Amino acid sequence: MAIKKSELYSSLWKGCDELRGGMDASQYKDYVLVLLFVKYVSDKYAGQPDALIEVPEGGSFKDMLALKGDKEIGDKINKIIARLAEANDLKGVIDVADFNDADKLGKGKEMQDRLSNLVSIFDAPGLNFSSNRAEGDDILGDAYEYLMRHFATESGKSKGQFYTPAEVSRIMAKVIGINATKSQSQTIYDPTCGSGSLLLKAADESKTGVTIYGQEMDNATAALAKMNMILHDNPTAEIWQDNTLAHPYFKEKDGSLKLHDFVVANPPFSTKAWSNGFDPANDLYERFADGIPPAKNGDYAFLLHIIRSLKSTGKGAVILPHGVLFRGGAEGFIRRNIIRKGYIKGIIGLPANLFYGTGIPACIIVLDKENAAGRAGLFMIDASKGYVKDGNKNRLRHQDIHKIVDVFNKQLAQPKYARMVSVAEIEANDYNLNIPRYIDSSETEDLQDIAAHLQGGIPNADIAGMAAYWQVFPTLQKELFERGTRLGYSQMKEAAAQVKPTIFAHPEFVHYTQAVSDLFQRWKANNTARLKGISQDAHPKELIELLSEDLLQTFAEVKLIDQYDVYQHLMSYWSDTMQDDVYLIEADGWQAGNDASNGLIPPQLIIARYFAAERDAIAQLETERDAITRQMEELDEEHGGEDGLLAEARNDKGKLTKVSVAARLKDIKNDADGAEERKQLNAYLTLIEQESAASKKVKDAQKQLDAKVAAQYAKLSADDIQTLVVDDKWLTTLAADVQTELDRVSQALTGRIKQLAERYAEPLPQLAAEVAMLNAKVEAHLMKMGFTL
């Protein structure tokens, strides 16, 4: 039975994190990722002649496993890694972490146990890379991504810069046009590549494959990037460790910078020592012809290096802090020059607190040399409001990523979100690119109408503000509003309580909800066979791409509902549930096993389809039991007080039980004055017995149902399982999600109308008259009591 991917990765992280010892996550990652590397190459290449990676005798993960419990495990792991490194020219790459460091891993038995347990974690059955999948569905890629995100999260503000969030990497990859590559000889370059995650995400977007180049200043991080390339089947990628600005490594034969088809980068923000090791005024590579950046801020140094590293047809994307868009001085001079040359295709403003090394907001500057000469404008997007909180960071959702990419690549103007800004307009703003100058993304203020507060009526301007609804429900407005007594104002035709029923019963609203439901049914019909056809040859990531794009297109023209909101429902459900289900089906086929332990078919699905009558019978028994319980509570409330007839029947814990009530009855059986107390005690005792009997019926019925459900699992055919999983589980959930979007439409419309009706329901003179009347009543009462104001 396959294990869920989400459970595998979470248990992997939890186990590794518990064994961290005396290190923070930024150091511990070097140990964990080396073990992941050794495990991967051992599974994939051991025993294979002419393999890309040679796994020598005594240099495999199997050799590490044999050391569990060995007193010299740390030293011997170092030797195993050294053999593997020496055989593959990986010295200084995979042997950076010292597995015999007592300060970090503990001394003696502590180190022995910690390393033994750590090696055991990677021996999990689910972490078998011998048949590493293609098409991006490999467990390794997802395991690596999961670990890197968690290491970055835990590494602290100053140490998380080795990782660019995958969501941002995907946007950059999709807006530079790398999917249109014609040949694997085309190149992509990252001058500050960190662990290589951004480079890999961009390269993955290419249909033909590309040649990868990266440079990273930090030694351990550069080693991580080299391992990462091998882990992701890019062993020929060139990664170099050195300072990119002072000592760029990749050069042409004549000594000039090597030029690339694509460049992506997430350089360190506003680094102060950027010019260490060289003189920018006499730069050998002519990078600063458009101006020399400020001595204490290297943002433009990296941008100019990237521009210089692009071919004349090159495309690029770089993440930089918002300050590069508007700071003056030397940076303003450089910005004017590169805008005039047309190098900047567009700017995407991102939410704050996305990145692990900083909380400040950043932007993606998209570069395009090929079309620079004729560029008349820059396309700007303000995506700063589209995100979800994820722990102490913000994270872009699937819908945010897709919307940014669609809008940017199609150059779609959208109010408060995106538009093309002419170079002339930018020039008029002194080449300031601060996004709020060009896109006002602030919420529209809900203005109060003073005249309506004084004289009553609902302003027609507020009603017109709901124009999006009236376009879909053109006659509904007349059902709800009528002309008021003053020009420019209307009044409600219905009482506030009738607004919702009126909307729901209106033919246009009924037609709209049916049309949306029909769209989902159309998507369902298009994709049910695809879902039921999942096999062990399936590519889950390919599947969700097809499903989600079809859903997005299906809802593209729907008014009032954002197609990206519907898309997000599917993607969230995929992440939470469907993905695990699909990988289980891919591994095991359409079989449920003899229980619900893997979560593919929860018991409630079996019950709903096969044992609804039994479920309803149990519900009826529970209702009967609960009715008895309520009678007991009512009797206790009436007679259970301090001086009540049931007060003396409580046990030491203050409870009324069968034993305590029976004991009290025995105590007062001969009490001449206790007739009424005995009556109430007997009534309560009878209810206790009835409740006990009713509870037993529920328990027995539930036990019988559980047995039937367990037996039913073994009887399920592949067709039965497909019906349960696809129809009853996946599609039913997604249909409910679409309904929530319909509910949101109706709630927003109803809520706004009620808000306006209540806001102007009582004009100020009416309120003043009511206040005056109440004041007069109070004064009259005070006078009767002999007081005067």
Side-chain angles (χ1 to χ4, degrees):
M1 181 72 66
I3 185 172
K4 289 183 178 180
K5 289 182 73 177
S6 59
E7 291 176 1
L8 173 66
Y9 304 146
S10 61
S11 64
L12 179 62
W13 167 256
K14 185 179 178 183
C16 292
D17 197 40
E18 285 175 354
L19 297 171
R20 189 190 297 175
M23 291 173 279
D24 67 26
S26 65
Q27 297 170 306
Y28 191 52
K29 74 178 189 303
D30 299 329
Y31 290 85
V32 170
L33 295 174
V34 164
L35 285 182
L36 184 65
F37 178 86
V38 176
K39 168 68 168 149
Y40 169 71
V41 297
S42 298
D43 284 353
K44 192 170 179 68
Y45 299 117
Q48 291 188 19
D50 302 320
L52 287 170
I53 301 293
E54 179 188 346
V55 182
E57 195 70 30
S60 71
F61 184 76
K62 184 174 68 174
D63 296 308
M64 287 185 176
L65 276 178
L67 296 176
K68 288 198 298 183
D70 192 306
K71 292 180 180 179
E72 298 177 4
I73 186 172
D75 181 56
K76 290 180 178 179
I77 285 179
N78 281 343
K79 290 175 180 174
I80 290 170
I81 294 171
R83 288 190 190 98
L84 185 62
E86 191 170 344
N88 295 282
D89 194 23
L90 291 172
K91 292 182 72 66
V93 176
I94 64 173
D95 53 359
V96 174
D98 180 4
F99 282 80
N100 203 33
D101 188 332
D103 291 335
K104 292 179 178 177
L105 294 164
K107 296 179 174 64
K109 186 72 162 58
E110 184 182 0
M111 177 190 286
Q112 179 184 331
D113 291 344
R114 176 166 282 126
L115 290 177
S116 295
N117 290 331
L118 189 57
V119 169
S120 295
I121 289 170
F122 287 88
D123 193 33
L127 281 176
N128 185 342
F129 304 124
S130 58
S131 57
N132 196 36
R133 295 194 59 82
E135 316 301 337
D137 283 333
D138 59 299
I139 55 174
L140 173 69
D142 291 340
Y144 180 87
E145 189 72 45
Y146 189 96
L147 288 171
M148 288 298 284
R149 180 186 288 276
H150 280 75
F151 281 130
T153 302
E154 298 292 322
S155 289
K157 186 173 181 180
S158 63
K159 300 175 182 175
Q161 295 179 346
F162 56 81
Y163 176 71
T164 300
E167 298 83 7
V168 180
S169 299
R170 279 198 287 273
I171 292 172
M172 297 172 75
K174 289 176 182 293
V175 298
I176 61 174
I178 198 169
N179 62 317
T181 52
K182 302 283 195 301
S183 162
Q184 195 164 358
S185 64
Q186 290 180 270
T187 63
I188 184 165
Y189 167 57
D190 185 341
T192 58
C193 69
S195 64
S197 57
L198 172 56
L199 257 179
L200 284 165
K201 279 287 185 297
D204 281 348
E205 197 68 23
S206 167
K207 299 272 195 305
T208 61
V210 286
T211 302
I212 296 173
Y213 297 89
Q215 187 162 339
E216 167 58 36
M217 187 163 67
D218 182 78
N219 185 52
T221 306
L224 200 61
K226 291 177 184 178
M227 279 195 293
N228 198 4
M229 294 300 144
I230 296 170
L231 287 170
H232 286 81
D233 280 336
N234 288 287
T236 59
E238 289 193 50
I239 305 295
W240 188 257
Q241 186 271 313
D242 209 337
N243 182 329
T244 294
L245 294 178
H247 306 291
Y249 176 72
F250 300 108
K251 295 188 279 286
E252 304 290 358
K253 290 179 180 178
D254 63 2
S256 62
L257 286 183
K258 182 175 178 59
L259 303 184
H260 300 274
D261 298 284
F262 303 96
V263 178
V264 291
N266 179 14
F269 289 177
S270 307
T271 184
K272 294 180 179 180
W274 68 271
S275 60
N276 283 2
F278 77 111
D279 179 8
N282 296 293
D283 182 50
L284 296 174
Y285 310 103
E286 302 176 343
R287 291 173 292 184
F288 306 111
D290 290 317
I292 298 176
K296 299 295 185 183
N297 192 317
D299 291 332
Y300 271 93
F302 286 108
L303 181 58
L304 291 171
H305 174 84
I306 289 164
I307 291 172
R308 186 70 183 85
S309 300
L310 283 169
K311 292 180 179 178
S312 61
T313 56
K315 314 288 195 301
V318 55
I319 300 166
L320 289 170
H322 268 294
V324 300
L325 303 177
F326 53 79
R327 292 193 297 250
E331 292 183 314
F333 178 76
I334 298 169
R335 185 169 59 246
R336 181 192 67 183
N337 288 338
I338 61 177
I339 290 171
R340 284 179 171 178
K341 289 182 176 179
Y343 292 154
I344 300 177
K345 179 180 181 180
I347 298 166
I348 301 167
L350 298 170
N353 203 27
L354 283 183
F355 298 94
Y356 293 98
T358 178
I360 66 173
C363 61
I364 299 172
I365 296 181
V366 184
L367 304 166
D368 175 13
K369 273 192 172 180
E370 183 175 19
N371 302 294
R375 182 153 287 118
L378 278 65
F379 193 77
M380 290 190 179
I381 294 179
D382 184 349
S384 60
K385 293 180 170 59
Y387 63 89
V388 66
K389 291 293 293 180
D390 186 7
N392 62 352
K393 304 300 291 182
N394 296 330
R395 179 170 52 81
L396 295 172
R397 299 164 294 181
H398 294 282
Q399 70 182 96
D400 303 317
I401 299 167
H402 210 305
K403 183 176 181 180
I404 289 169
V405 172
D406 284 350
V407 170
F408 190 89
N409 286 343
K410 297 173 185 176
Q411 307 276 280
L412 302 173
Q414 291 194 0
K416 296 186 174 294
Y417 187 76
R419 76 178 184 96
M420 179 65 75
V421 181
S422 70
V423 172
E425 184 178 353
I426 294 168
E427 184 178 356
N429 278 284
D430 197 25
Y431 295 95
N432 186 317
L433 294 178
N434 196 21
I435 296 173
R437 282 189 177 228
Y438 306 99
I439 299 172
D440 179 9
S441 62
S442 60
E443 295 293 329
T444 304
E445 189 177 355
D446 186 13
L447 299 173
Q448 302 275 341
D449 189 300
I450 303 301
H453 278 300
L454 291 171
Q455 301 174 40
I458 297 172
N460 287 348
D462 284 338
I463 298 172
M466 294 184 283
Y469 294 101
W470 311 138
Q471 289 172 7
V472 180
F473 316 125
T475 66
L476 177 59
Q477 182 178 347
K478 293 180 180 179
E479 290 287 322
L480 296 167
F481 301 100
E482 60 186 0
R483 181 179 297 180
T485 56
R486 295 180 300 119
L487 186 65
Y489 295 85
S490 298
Q491 61 190 27
M492 294 294 302
K493 291 175 72 173
E494 301 282 356
Q498 288 302 308
V499 170
K500 185 174 180 179
T502 300
I503 292 172
F504 276 58
H506 195 276
E508 289 168 353
F509 185 82
V510 172
H511 174 76
Y512 172 76
T513 56
Q514 186 59 54
V516 173
S517 297
D518 288 346
L519 282 177
F520 178 76
Q521 292 302 318
R522 188 175 81 192
W523 176 83
K524 175 180 171 180
N526 287 344
N527 291 283
T528 297
R530 178 177 287 144
L531 290 169
K532 291 185 177 180
I534 296 171
S535 69
Q536 289 172 297
D537 296 324
H539 296 306
K541 290 182 181 177
E542 219 173 74
L543 172 67
I544 188 57
E545 177 79 7
L546 291 169
L547 294 173
S548 60
E549 290 302 314
D550 188 32
L551 187 67
L552 198 63
Q553 289 305 117
T554 300
F555 282 84
E557 303 302 323
V558 177
K559 303 289 187 182
L560 303 179
I561 291 177
D562 188 332
Q563 67 187 112
Y564 294 101
D565 287 336
V566 180
Y567 169 83
Q568 182 62 37
H569 281 297
L570 172 58
M571 297 308 295
S572 294
Y573 187 52
W574 173 262
S575 298
D576 295 341
T577 301
M578 277 184 74
Q579 178 177 228
D580 276 338
D581 289 351
V582 170
Y583 276 96
L584 287 173
I585 295 164
E586 181 197 32
D588 298 334
W590 291 94
Q591 59 181 28
N594 56 9
D595 58 30
S597 59
N598 65 13
L600 180 63
I601 305 174
Q604 59 265 31
L605 291 180
I606 298 283
I607 292 168
R609 180 159 286 275
Y610 296 102
F611 305 111
E614 290 87 339
R615 177 198 61 199
D616 294 344
I618 290 173
Q620 179 59 38
L621 290 174
E622 289 174 334
T623 299
E624 293 168 2
R625 179 200 59 198
D626 294 344
I628 297 168
T629 303
R630 281 195 300 275
Q631 291 181 57
M632 293 169 67
E633 290 169 350
E634 290 166 3
L635 197 59
D636 188 10
E637 186 176 347
E638 184 178 357
H639 298 291
E642 189 173 337
D643 298 322
L645 295 170
L646 300 179
E648 297 297 325
R650 297 188 184 281
N651 62 15
D652 294 342
K653 296 181 180 179
K655 303 290 186 182
L656 288 168
T657 67
K658 183 175 181 179
V659 173
S660 67
V661 172
R664 179 60 182 167
L665 277 168
K666 185 177 180 182
D667 290 343
I668 64 169
K669 70 177 182 179
N670 296 319
D671 188 344
D673 298 324
E676 185 61 24
E677 183 180 359
R678 283 194 293 274
K679 177 183 174 184
Q680 298 304 329
L681 287 169
N682 278 312
Y684 198 88
L685 188 61
T686 299
L687 290 172
I688 289 175
E689 291 168 347
Q690 289 176 351
E691 184 192 43
S692 177
S695 295
K696 187 175 184 306
K697 285 183 180 180
V698 170
K699 186 177 180 181
D700 290 345
Q702 186 63 56
K703 188 176 179 180
Q704 291 174 14
L705 178 56
D706 291 344
K708 288 182 178 180
V709 169
Q712 188 65 36
Y713 275 103
K715 301 176 185 176
L716 296 175
S717 66
D719 287 344
D720 294 333
I721 296 167
Q722 289 172 356
T723 298
L724 286 161
V725 174
V726 177
D727 297 325
D728 297 359
K729 185 180 183 181
W730 296 344
L731 294 176
T732 298
T733 300
L734 293 171
D737 289 338
V738 171
Q739 184 59 47
T740 64
E741 293 304 314
L742 280 170
D743 293 342
R744 188 183 301 174
V745 171
S746 62
Q747 288 163 6
L749 176 57
T750 302
R752 179 58 174 166
I753 293 171
K754 284 186 174 181
Q755 182 187 49
L756 292 174
E758 292 167 1
R759 176 181 293 174
Y760 301 114
E762 296 179 297
L764 187 59
Q766 182 179 333
L767 291 172
E770 290 177 0
V771 170
M773 181 185 68
L774 292 171
N775 279 337
K777 285 184 177 181
V778 171
E779 288 180 15
H781 284 303
L782 288 172
M783 289 180 65
K784 287 181 182 179
M785 297 164 61
F787 297 99
T788 57
L789 293 176

